[in-house]
Structure formats: C-alpha cells, structure tokens
Amino acid sequence: EVQLVESGGGLVQPGGSLRLSCATSGFTFSSYWMNWVRQAPGKGLEWVANIKQDGSDQNYVDSVKGRFTISRDNAKNSLSLQMNSLRAEDTALYYCGGGVGWIITDWGQGTLVTVSS
Amino acid sequence: DIVMTQSPDSLAVSLGERATINCKSSQSVLSSSNNKNYLSWYQQKPGQPPKLLIYWASTRESGVPDRFSGSGSGTDFTLTISSLQAEDVAVYYCHQYHSSPLTFGGGTKVEIK
C-alpha cells in the first residue's frame, strides 16, 4: 500500500522557519518525481515545488523562490521542504505527492502550517 | 505561467444526470514531441487529499469509475460525469503539468440538486 505521511507543520511567527518532512512507503521512491502542493484554508490547490528522482533538478513557484528549498533522501525514502522567511500568505495545508513524471498520482494527508504572530 | 480557468465555479446536478466541467489553459498544453496533452483532473472531497481521476487529458486512472471521462486538446478541456452519483459530490480541479510552474484551475464544486 502506498503511504505518504507529512509532518513538521505548526504555528510559526512571520519571518520564522519550519521544516516539513514526508515519509513514504509502498512504492519505489527513487523512481518518483516528488512535489509539495499547498491549500490555504477554504481555497484551491497551489503547486509549490518539485524535485527530480535523483535530486538533480528542482522547480519552484515564484512566490517561494529563494525562501523554500525542496530536498530528498532516497536512502530514507523521504522528502523535505525547508521553509524560511515565512509570511502570513504561506498559511496552508501542505501536501506531499509524487508520481512517474510530473503527474501526481499519490498524495499524503497533509500537514498544517500557520504563520501568525 | 500557464493560467488554468475552470467553469462553472459550482454546479448542482440531479442524481443520474450528466455533469460537465470546463477547463481552459492560457497556453497550449499539447506537446508536439509526443502529441500528448499534459492535463489531469482531480477530485477532492472535504477533509481529504486530491484524488487523481484523469491524466493525459483522457486516460482514466486505475479504479476510477467509467462514468468519469475527460476530453479536449490544446487549450480546451472537459471533465464529464455521465451519471452523477451521491459519492461524486466534491470539488474538481484541472491541472497542467506541461511546464513549470505547474498550475491548477480554481476548482468546480459539484453538488446534488
């Protein structure tokens, strides 16, 4: 059974940092492009970043470039998102998801990030 | 960036009737190299992550009921639910994976009339 479990969310002040993790099992992690997608409360889906199977290529939405860093550890089947200089508009449920190519076939349940003073 | 515009924002359909959701991209998502449309559809129910329904614009994901179908090419796409069931109440999103940044439509909420 494919499983993706996000963790690391929480309440952080504006300007602060947070590191999200996604533990995976049930599929060949090293074969998947992996993504972070977020959803602000009551809003739609916004893709945040993705990373190639071997970690050699990463892409980001403009609003997080220079602040967020996506990374992966294929030995541990895990994905991470380091988030710095957080803003109120980064408040959202953050999903990790992956698939062969850029199609996101499998998703976790999400971890909530709240940026507020 | 490719902007994805869905219509309508919401629709109410009677059980057993057809539901049609439209999605328009600001640029073509058809690849000339493989003649594939880099367009997928997701279903999201309250409190749940998105679920992949359709990819390559018209390929149904394994396990998805055949009442769900996708069509279209280039910049104009449609998701059709041929006979709406109670369990289909959800928000539906189109998504382009042709180029970065990947982008989603704003969502269409489907309800029972």
Side-chain angles (χ1 to χ4, degrees):
Chain A
E1 180 193 6
V2 173
Q3 287 197 322
L4 299 90
V5 179
E6 302 92 338
S7 61
L11 175 64
V12 62
Q13 292 189 336
S17 298
L18 213 54
R19 187 176 182 88
L20 305 184
S21 297
C22 176
T24 74
S25 61
F27 64 99
T28 306
F29 181 76
S30 59
S31 297
Y32 271 27
W33 274 84
M34 294 299 297
N35 301 261
W36 288 99
V37 175
R38 65 186 179 184
Q39 188 167 35
K43 302 298 183 183
L45 301 169
E46 181 184 33
W47 174 83
V48 173
N50 67 6
I51 185 168
K52 195 176 180 180
Q53 290 91 334
D54 62 0
S56 62
D57 188 22
Q58 305 95 37
N59 299 286
Y60 299 89
V61 68
D62 279 352
S63 60
V64 309
K65 280 181 184 175
R67 300 189 300 122
F68 290 11
T69 302
I70 188 171
S71 61
R72 65 190 296 160
D73 185 337
N74 286 347
K76 296 182 178 179
N77 296 329
S78 68
L79 177 72
S80 296
L81 185 69
Q82 177 66 43
M83 303 187 297
N84 299 330
S85 302
L86 282 161
R87 307 166 180 167
E89 54 265 36
D90 296 318
T91 293
L93 185 64
Y94 283 73
Y95 294 104
C96 78
V100 177
W102 282 3
I103 303 168
I104 306 174
T105 53
D106 301 294
W107 298 68
Q109 293 294 317
T111 186
L112 184 62
V113 172
T114 303
V115 184
S116 175
S117 55
Chain B
D1 298 5
I2 298 178
V3 177
M4 308 300 289
T5 303
Q6 285 183 235
S7 62
D9 292 336
S10 65
L11 76 161
V13 176
S14 300
L15 289 172
E17 295 301 304
R18 178 183 301 260
T20 301
I21 301 169
N22 299 301
C23 175
K24 188 174 185 67
S25 59
S26 62
Q27 302 169 38
S28 175
V29 298
L30 174 64
S31 171
S32 55
S33 63
N34 59 11
N35 203 36
K36 288 186 174 183
N37 287 284
Y38 285 60
L39 189 284
S40 59
W41 289 95
Y42 291 90
Q43 176 194 65
Q44 187 178 33
K45 297 180 180 180
Q48 295 184 20
K51 174 187 174 183
L52 178 66
L53 297 176
I54 302 284
Y55 57 96
W56 301 130
S58 60
T59 301
R60 201 177 301 113
E61 173 72 330
S62 176
V64 173
D66 60 8
R67 63 180 180 273
F68 292 93
S69 63
S71 63
S73 184
T75 61
D76 291 279
F77 301 91
T78 301
L79 175 70
T80 302
I81 309 173
S82 61
S83 175
L84 191 74
Q85 305 300 303
E87 61 265 32
D88 301 334
V89 169
V91 178
Y92 293 83
Y93 296 93
C94 60
H95 171 55
Q96 69 81 18
Y97 49 97
H98 179 276
S99 56
S100 182
L102 281 63
T103 47
F104 290 88
T108 296
K109 187 175 185 178
V110 174
E111 300 172 308
I112 304 295
K113 185 187 292 183

